[in-house]
Each structure stands twice: as C-alpha cells, then as structure tokens.
Amino acid sequence: MNLHLDIGCAAGDFLFDLALVNSTWNYLGIEIREKLVKTAKLKVKEKEIKNLYFAFGNAHNILNDVQSECILKNLKSISFYFPDPWFKKRHYKRRVIQPEFINILANLLRKGSLIFIKTDVKDLFDYMDCTISSNLNFKILDKKDFNFSESFNPNKFKTNRERYAIVNQLDIFERIYIKK
C-alpha cells in the first residue's frame, strides 16, 4: 500500500477527494489548527473512509519524533501545497519548509520518494525551491518524466487554494523533487 503525506492539509478537502477515488493509496494529513483536524476526523468517521487519516500538530515536531520514523520510511510522497507564506522576514522561521526539516526528510525518506511543492507566492516558491534544492539528497524531477497515473493524485484534484488561484488568474508555481 502506498502512503502520501500532505503537510498543512487544512480541513482535508483535497485529501477526501483523493481518498474516495484512489483506494490503492493511504493518505495522512497533518495540520497545525486543531479545530480543522477534529472536523476532518469526524468527517472520516461519518463517511467511513478507511484510507484517510489526520494528525494535529506541528509537522516538524511530529516527523522529528522517533515514533514517526516508521511513517517516513513508508512514505512514497509528500505534498506542501500552498503553505502559509509568512511574508515578513522575521517570520520566515515559521515557514514549514526549513533546512533542518528537509534534512530530516533526506535522512529518513527512502530512495525514490517524492516531494511536491505548489504555491501562488513567487517569493515563497523561490525559498522552498532553494531550501530543498540545497539538500544534495534531492533532485528536481522533470514533470515530463513523471507518470501521474501512478501518483498519489492520478485525477489531478486541486486544493481549495489552487481553485481560488485559478479563478483569480494568479500564477501557480510548482515543482517535484525525488530522493536520490
């Protein structure tokens, strides 16, 4: 069974879309806003979805925990879609993608694991891209070389923020990385 992790999943609508049509994958969403996680968990129970899970907390803390090594070693892909940009320079330390966090992923993910990033904020994209690309364990994967039918998102579902960006004709920046 394949496992995909979505960090900063909000209420998980994107993951619900995925889990309902793609039963060959398990999905785990991590969100820092407890109310959204509680609501998502109730919805999973109500809809009786067996391949979707949610965790409340700071992704860095959760995945840095020794007990999470098992999750990381079984991950096939991770998405960071439209994370909070934390525009002020003094708040950059709050951004989810940090060099230390990418180092954790580099040390624990298995070879061939994928990281997907997507945002409508160019400065944030440049920051995330630079942070991940600076780690020699990851390389950029050309989208033409990627088979989306084998992906965690074969139907190319969009997040709420992505739909908003499309409707408002905002540029969307995205990249895929593979663990060497």
Side-chain angles (χ1 to χ4, degrees):
M1 187 67 81
N2 298 309
L3 177 60
H4 176 77
L5 172 63
D6 186 43
I7 296 179
C9 66
D13 294 339
F14 172 65
L15 293 176
F16 279 97
D17 290 342
L18 292 167
L20 287 169
V21 300
N22 201 3
S23 61
T24 62
W25 280 74
N26 282 315
Y27 297 94
L28 172 61
I30 296 177
E31 175 57 46
I32 201 160
R33 294 170 287 179
E34 188 173 19
K35 183 177 180 183
L36 293 176
V37 173
K38 285 181 177 180
T39 302
K41 285 181 174 182
L42 286 173
K43 191 173 169 184
V44 165
K45 190 174 183 178
E46 176 184 296
K47 293 186 177 234
E48 299 179 359
I49 300 172
K50 304 293 184 211
N51 62 333
L52 178 57
Y53 310 90
F54 292 94
F56 159 69
N58 178 301
H60 183 274
N61 295 341
I62 291 171
L63 297 177
N64 200 20
D65 187 316
V66 174
Q67 295 174 337
S68 297
E69 281 186 32
C70 180
I71 292 171
L72 285 170
K73 288 185 179 188
N74 289 297
L75 274 180
K76 190 157 184 179
S77 56
I78 301 174
S79 56
F80 297 90
Y81 283 176
F82 301 90
D84 191 329
W86 293 105
F87 289 108
K88 294 180 182 175
K89 195 161 189 139
R90 69 177 187 259
H91 292 156
Y92 282 8
K93 63 184 176 229
R94 296 180 182 170
R95 288 180 170 175
V96 67
I97 292 182
Q98 297 291 334
E100 308 81 41
F101 187 54
I102 297 304
N103 287 339
I104 291 168
L105 297 179
N107 290 328
L108 295 176
L109 289 175
R110 64 184 180 201
K111 183 179 177 182
S113 297
L114 302 172
I115 295 177
F116 295 80
I117 63 169
K118 195 180 289 196
T119 183
D120 55 347
V121 179
K122 179 71 167 110
D123 289 343
L124 177 61
F125 174 79
D126 291 342
Y127 173 83
M128 292 189 302
D129 182 43
C130 179
T131 302
I132 298 169
S133 296
S134 294
N135 188 302
L136 300 177
N137 292 292
F138 295 102
K139 75 171 190 169
I140 296 170
L141 187 63
D142 194 325
K143 279 203 274 187
K144 69 178 174 45
D145 296 330
F146 183 69
N147 182 354
F148 279 93
S149 67
E150 295 173 8
S151 165
F152 75 96
N153 188 4
N155 298 351
K156 297 187 181 174
F157 287 112
K158 297 181 180 2
T159 67
N160 291 341
R161 179 64 190 189
E162 186 172 8
R163 287 193 292 272
Y164 171 87
I166 291 167
V167 166
N168 290 284
Q169 300 178 343
L170 302 173
D171 290 331
I172 296 174
F173 309 94
E174 61 185 310
R175 186 148 287 154
I176 304 169
Y177 308 87
I178 189 165
K179 167 85 184 292
K180 296 190 229 176

